């Protein structure tokens, strides 16, 4: 899954919206139907073998560029403009990411810092979310 989200924006949109993009419409309440809420829950899983891939996938989502309409010539349909970081923030990921900075595994600490830095490179409200978490 983390590799899927490390590709083109339509891969990330498919994960967030749980759709195959064969139509030009989004399912109702699309992000709630996707996998992002579950990935955020898994960030604090006691097993690093579960937490690390969830963290990497969230990290790939927040570093993705927003998708502009009609920019996909692959025939997958028109994608909405999506700020993937906002989708992740809607599910309260920042406090969990902040907790992972103190994780016992260095790789998880590093991924959490990378993800928070990508969030902090966003809009003023996204920067404020990282500041409010106490991460910086």
């Amino acid at each position: 899954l983390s590799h899927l989200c490390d590709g083109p924006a339509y891969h990330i949109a498919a994960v967030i919206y749980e759709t195959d993009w064969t139509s030009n419409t989004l399912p109702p309440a699309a992000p709630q139907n996707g996998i992002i809420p579950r990935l955020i829950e898994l960030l604090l899983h006691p097993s690093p073998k579960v937490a690390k891939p969830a963290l990497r996938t969230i990290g790939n989502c927040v570093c993705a560029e927003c998708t502009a309409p009609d920019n996909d010539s692959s025939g997958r349909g028109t994608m909405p403009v999506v700020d993937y970081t906002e989708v992740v923030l809607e599910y309260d990921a920042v406090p969990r990411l902040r907790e992972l900075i103190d994780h016992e595994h260095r790789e998880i600490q590093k991924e959490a810092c990378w993800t928070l830095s990508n969030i902090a490179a966003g809009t003023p409200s996204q920067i404020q979310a990282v500041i409010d978490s106490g991460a910086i």
Side-chain angles (χ1 to χ4, degrees), residues 8-128:
Y10 63 83
H11 287 178
I12 296 171
V15 169
I16 289 175
Y17 287 96
E18 194 177 300
T19 182
D20 63 5
W21 294 103
T22 55
S23 72
N24 289 339
T25 60
L26 292 174
Q32 294 85 351
N33 294 334
I35 197 167
I36 296 296
R38 181 66 178 141
L39 287 171
I40 292 170
E41 288 175 21
L42 293 174
L43 290 175
L44 299 181
H45 193 279
S47 170
K49 290 181 180 183
V50 174
K52 186 177 174 186
L55 176 57
R56 184 66 178 174
T57 304
I58 294 294
N60 287 339
C61 289
V62 301
C63 75
E65 302 221 0
C66 296
T67 303
D70 299 324
N71 70 344
D72 181 25
S73 60
S74 67
R76 287 181 181 82
T78 302
M79 294 182 289
V81 175
V82 177
D83 184 344
Y84 300 113
T85 301
E86 283 299 320
V87 174
V88 169
L89 291 178
E90 286 176 22
Y91 292 97
D92 210 26
V94 173
R96 290 186 170 111
L97 293 166
R98 168 58 191 95
E99 283 185 54
L100 293 176
I101 292 173
D102 297 323
H103 198 276
E104 63 186 65
H105 288 87
R106 188 175 189 293
E107 295 256 338
I108 290 180
Q109 293 172 356
K110 186 176 99 173
E111 291 285 337
C113 289
W114 172 72
T115 302
L116 286 166
S117 74
N118 280 318
I119 294 170
T123 66
S125 65
Q126 293 167 353
I127 296 166
Q128 192 62 50

